[in-house]
Amino acid sequence: MAIFVYAENINGIYKKAAFEAVSYAKAIAEKNGETVTAVSVNPTDSSDLLYKYGADKVINIKDDGLKNFSAKAYAQAMNEVSDGNIIVFPHTTDASSVAPMLAIMKNFSLITNVLEIPESFAPFQVKRRAFSGKGMMHAKAEAAGVIVTVSQNAYGVKENVASGSEEVKDLAVANEDTKVISHEQSSGRLDLKEAEIVVSAGRGMKGPENWGMIEDLANTLGAATACSKPVSDIGWRPHSEHVGQTGKAISPNLYVAVGISGAIQHLAGVNSSKTIVVINNDPEAPFFKSADYGVVGDALKIIPELTEKIKALKG
């Protein structure tokens, strides 16, 4: 039997969360001796990208009626093509609205925000976030089938190349209750959880009036901006930028931490970053112990100079 995965894309381009969901499903499949079938709606990206993370088969649903996102219609489409007892979704905004509808259609259990591969399969039991990320619990599925949503950046994207095959399904999903006429994509800031580079700062910036240099560095690097919990708590930055154990967990290729001491709660949300650069004027800051590269000095002087150097290199 196959484990099915909802491989989310945006405008046809697979999201990083889709690769993580496939990686997670592959880990389960290897324990159960099963296969992984990834399902995507109107993708333009190559299926090779999903084989890279372990998909044995990719079902590409082609349906002009699904051009604009509709949770109910997407759930109906997933219901038509998914016949396994385990279905994996990323815990993104869109996927988290599709998963519960599909769970009702199939009479499956639904466990959201899972953090690790299951502790057992009979019964299906897995660790998940709880209390808005401030706690964890072990959830058990009671139904014969289960749908899980994988907390973003909790398991990670892991290459596990498979020789996959592709099937194209032409569906015509009825979506008469609600019809999405059009949609508009918001522009501006990068999605923090999807960003490959993140520039983050803390109280070492001394005040919100100095945040412009962080945004300038981030724009130069093509990065998203983030902040520590104290900074969001005192209102320098919105809570949506808070990374850490009680904020967003991220795993970019490069994480630049400016004026952040490195409390254990902050590290819990960023320590899966591939490369960590710490800039702090306190040489005893605990964050240096977790850093790949460290710079001791005044961030208010270092950041503008660093930004200008990068701009010069980029021409």
Side-chain angles (χ1 to χ4, degrees):
M1 186 170 288
I3 296 171
F4 284 77
V5 187
Y6 174 64
E8 185 173 343
N9 68 71
I10 181 165
N11 296 328
I13 308 299
Y14 289 121
K15 300 184 75 169
K16 177 182 174 185
F19 301 141
E20 182 174 30
V22 173
S23 301
Y24 181 89
K26 187 66 174 181
I28 297 177
E30 288 181 337
K31 278 186 170 289
N32 275 0
E34 296 177 305
T35 59
V36 174
T37 297
V39 182
S40 195
V41 179
N42 296 325
T44 54
D45 263 349
S46 168
S47 296
D48 290 343
L49 293 172
L50 300 178
Y51 305 149
K52 182 178 178 183
Y53 300 102
D56 299 289
K57 181 178 179 180
V58 175
I59 297 177
N60 288 327
I61 296 173
K62 300 294 184 184
D63 186 345
D64 288 341
L66 300 176
K67 185 177 177 183
N68 295 313
F69 177 77
S70 161
K72 182 179 178 183
Y74 274 47
Q76 288 173 335
M78 283 293 293
N79 192 34
E80 286 198 31
V81 301
S82 306
D83 59 2
N85 289 331
I86 300 175
I87 303 176
V88 178
F89 282 74
H91 194 75
T92 59
T93 301
D94 284 358
S96 294
S97 61
V98 176
M101 291 189 178
L102 182 60
I104 291 172
M105 292 173 184
K106 288 189 170 294
N107 199 25
F108 279 11
S109 294
L110 172 66
I111 303 177
T112 61
N113 247 326
V114 304
L115 296 168
E116 299 174 353
I117 60 174
E119 299 151 5
S120 66
F121 291 93
F124 190 99
Q125 183 167 308
V126 68
K127 189 176 181 180
R128 67 176 292 265
R129 289 190 197 281
F131 307 112
S132 301
K134 296 180 176 62
M136 297 170 189
M137 63 177 289
H138 299 268
K140 184 171 71 175
E142 298 287 352
V146 61
I147 294 173
V148 298
T149 67
V150 180
S151 182
Q152 284 184 265
N153 298 311
Y155 183 75
V157 175
K158 298 175 183 178
E159 288 190 25
N160 195 340
V161 180
S163 299
S165 61
E166 182 181 285
E167 179 181 355
V168 177
K169 288 270 190 183
D170 290 313
L171 297 183
V173 175
N175 184 27
E176 296 175 352
D177 294 341
T178 305
K179 196 161 194 130
V180 179
I181 299 170
S182 65
H183 76 277
E184 294 182 15
Q185 175 99 19
S186 62
S187 58
R189 297 180 185 280
L190 293 171
D191 184 337
L192 189 53
K193 288 190 173 185
E194 293 283 323
E196 297 296 342
I197 304 174
V198 174
V199 178
S200 183
R203 283 185 296 184
M205 293 306 295
K206 300 181 180 175
E209 67 276 8
N210 294 318
W211 220 265
M213 64 179 70
I214 295 298
E215 292 177 335
D216 193 17
L217 175 59
N219 290 334
T220 303
L221 289 170
T225 57
C227 69
S228 62
K229 184 176 186 298
V231 162
S232 62
D233 283 347
I234 58 180
W236 290 3
R237 302 300 297 171
H239 282 286
S240 60
E241 291 192 2
H242 165 205
V243 293
Q245 187 176 39
T246 55
K248 292 179 178 176
I250 60 173
S251 57
N253 286 328
L254 174 63
Y255 181 67
V256 182
V258 183
I260 299 174
S261 61
I264 191 168
Q265 293 86 353
H266 185 82
L267 290 173
V270 304
N271 60 7
S272 59
S273 303
K274 189 170 287 183
T275 301
I276 296 176
V277 177
V278 172
I279 301 172
N280 201 302
N281 62 3
D282 178 7
E284 302 300 322
F287 214 157
F288 283 119
K289 294 179 182 176
S290 303
D292 298 285
Y293 301 95
V295 180
V296 178
D298 186 350
L300 302 187
K301 295 179 179 177
I302 292 172
I303 297 302
E305 290 184 23
L306 177 61
T307 303
E308 290 307 311
K309 293 286 186 188
I310 295 171
K311 287 180 178 177
L313 283 172
K314 295 176 75 173

